[in-house]
């Protein structure tokens, strides 16, 4: 009897997932209609849409494993109703994203962009015109203190930074907790965003938010693109309210060109901070392990639908 089929939804390197699936399932990186119809599981990339229609094409699916944590494009409610586990991989990219945040902060605070241009363009004599800041002794405001936010805090403290954290969903430790978001914004030299996107958090960073920021603050968003109103950010940057902006995420992706992108104090990356070489390998391996766990009747390490349980457990609960 052939092994069950697990398919890729999006681009997935087979070498990174076959290990955990060995002996459990055959992996199909470029599935056709028949492969989808037979699939018991799928490795889902960030740009793959898994809606009701997609699920209809996979009637035998038991598990979707997202390479990352965002499930904005996955109909988790419908998947749960069909008994499908939605695996996420929150630990694999946390360190990489946190390093990306500090990397962007360093680039913007140390003014690497304009200083690089001075040397390239033979403007050495103008170097005193570019104020170079410090991370040590500055305050970083972390909005969203989950796995990534906490890791950012650890790295920031290693640079000698003071840390404040605000999280409307889970209270940070007393040593860093700042329940008043406006207070955090008003005191932070660097603001970094790590909240999930929802109706309540969409355009959290808007004109009103930016009116409260400490003049000259740096804003970094490696969380969700929809957390930020780009028009408001551009106005704050032009007015000098912000001194620099780092963006790794956009809404939608890829983004349409925005005038903010042309500003010399804006640093842009294409949603890759969580996909370093090591993190990318880990997230695929973790996703594949989640699929293997479900197929073996085990509960995966992390789920977007934590109410899901293995069929064996569900049967026990109904007895």
């Amino acid at each position: 009897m052939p092994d069950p089929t697990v398919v890729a939804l999006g681009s997935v390197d087979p070498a990174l997932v076959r290990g955990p699936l060995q002996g459990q399932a055959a992996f199909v990186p470029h599935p056709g209609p028949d492969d989808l119809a037979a699939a018991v599981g799928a490795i889902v990339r960030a740009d793959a849409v898994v809606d009701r229609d997609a699920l209809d094409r996979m009637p035998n699916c038991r598990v979707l494993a997202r390479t990352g944590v965002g499930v904005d494009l996955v109909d988790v409610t419908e998947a749960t109703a069909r008994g499908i586990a939605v695996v996420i991989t929150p630990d694999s990219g946390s360190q990489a994203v946190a390093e990306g945040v500090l990397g962007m902060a360093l680039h913007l605070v140390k003014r690497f962009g304009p200083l690089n241009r001075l040397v390239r363009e033979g403007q050495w004599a103008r170097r005193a015109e570019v104020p170079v800041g410090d991370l040590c002794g500055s305050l970083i405001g972390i909005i969203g203190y989950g796995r990534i936010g906490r890791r950012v805090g650890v790295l920031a403290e290693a640079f000698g930074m003071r840390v404040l954290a605000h999280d409307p969903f889970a209270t940070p430790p007393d040593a860093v907790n700042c329940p008043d978001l406006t207070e955090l914004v008003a005191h932070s030299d660097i603001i970094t965003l790590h909240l999930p996107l929802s109706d309540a958090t969409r355009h959290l960073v808007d004109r009103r938010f930016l009116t409260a920021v400490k003049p000259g603050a740096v804003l970094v968003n490696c969380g969700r693109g929809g957390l930020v109103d780009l028009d408001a950010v551009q106005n704050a940057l032009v007015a000098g309210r912000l001194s620099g902006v780092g963006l790794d995420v956009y809404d939608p992706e890829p983004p349409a060109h925005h005038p903010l992108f042309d500003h010399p104090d804006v640093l842009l990356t294409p949603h890759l901070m969580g996909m370093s070489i090591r993190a990318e390998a880990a997230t695929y391996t973790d996703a594949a392990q989640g699929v293997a766990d479900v197929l073996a009747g085990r509960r995966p390490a992390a789920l977007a639908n934590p109410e899901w349980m293995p069929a064996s457990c569900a049967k026990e609960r109904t007895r």
Side-chain angles (χ1 to χ4, degrees):
M1 185 175 179
D3 288 337
T5 299
V6 172
V7 299
L9 299 181
S11 178
V12 177
D13 182 350
L16 297 176
V17 301
R18 281 185 174 142
L21 295 177
Q22 189 82 33
Q24 294 244 36
F27 181 67
V28 180
H30 305 292
D34 291 343
D35 299 311
L36 292 172
V40 296
I43 308 292
V44 183
R45 290 299 308 272
D47 57 353
V49 176
V50 186
D51 54 14
R52 184 184 295 267
D53 288 341
L55 292 172
D56 286 344
R57 291 192 290 274
M58 296 187 293
N60 295 299
C61 186
R62 294 166 53 194
V63 53
L64 302 167
R66 169 74 171 82
T67 56
V69 296
V71 289
D72 306 25
L73 300 182
V74 177
D75 191 335
V76 177
T77 301
E78 182 62 25
T80 304
R82 300 184 187 207
I84 299 171
V86 182
V87 172
I88 53 176
T89 57
D91 293 321
S92 55
S94 297
Q95 176 69 19
V97 176
E99 289 179 7
V101 170
L102 269 295
M104 284 189 163
L106 272 171
H107 179 99
L108 295 165
V109 170
K110 292 298 183 184
R111 309 285 284 165
F112 289 149
L115 292 176
N116 179 61
R117 287 193 294 274
L118 287 182
V119 178
R120 285 181 180 274
E121 296 170 5
Q123 301 290 325
W124 186 277
R126 298 184 58 189
R127 60 184 182 149
E129 298 175 16
V130 181
V132 177
D134 299 282
L135 293 189
C136 185
S138 64
L139 191 151
I140 185 167
I142 303 172
I143 303 176
Y145 207 61
R147 291 177 177 87
I148 296 173
R150 293 194 299 271
R151 193 62 195 156
V152 169
V154 170
L155 297 182
E157 288 179 343
F159 275 96
M161 302 178 72
R162 294 172 292 141
V163 175
L164 281 182
H166 174 85
D167 195 314
F169 307 108
T171 304
D174 290 343
V176 299
N177 186 31
C178 185
D180 188 334
L181 179 59
T182 301
E183 180 183 350
L184 177 143
V185 170
H187 289 91
S188 296
D189 300 289
I190 297 166
I191 299 168
T192 177
L193 308 175
H194 301 286
L195 290 173
L197 183 62
S198 67
D199 290 341
T201 62
R202 180 171 293 278
H203 285 186
L204 172 75
V205 179
D206 58 8
R207 183 189 60 79
R208 181 178 178 183
F209 179 104
L210 293 164
T211 299
V213 300
K214 182 178 181 179
V218 164
L219 174 68
V220 176
N221 186 15
C222 291
R224 288 286 175 265
L227 297 173
V228 171
D229 179 343
L230 294 184
D231 291 338
V233 169
Q234 181 190 17
N235 291 337
L237 192 60
V238 170
R241 175 64 63 175
L242 294 173
S243 66
V245 176
L247 301 175
D248 183 52
V249 289
Y250 311 87
D251 183 21
E253 293 184 347
H257 183 80
H258 190 281
L260 175 68
F261 299 170
D262 298 324
H263 197 286
D265 294 319
V266 172
L267 176 61
L268 306 171
T269 53
H271 201 165
L272 280 176
M273 289 301 96
M275 296 299 282
S276 66
I277 294 171
R278 184 174 295 175
E280 183 174 20
T283 195
Y284 289 121
T285 300
D286 289 352
Q289 184 59 56
V291 171
D293 287 339
V294 171
L295 297 183
R298 299 186 296 266
R299 187 174 179 82
L303 289 162
N305 52 347
E307 65 272 29
W308 178 90
M309 64 182 70
S312 58
C313 295
K315 290 176 183 177
E316 287 295 326
R317 179 172 287 188
T318 57
R319 287 179 182 174

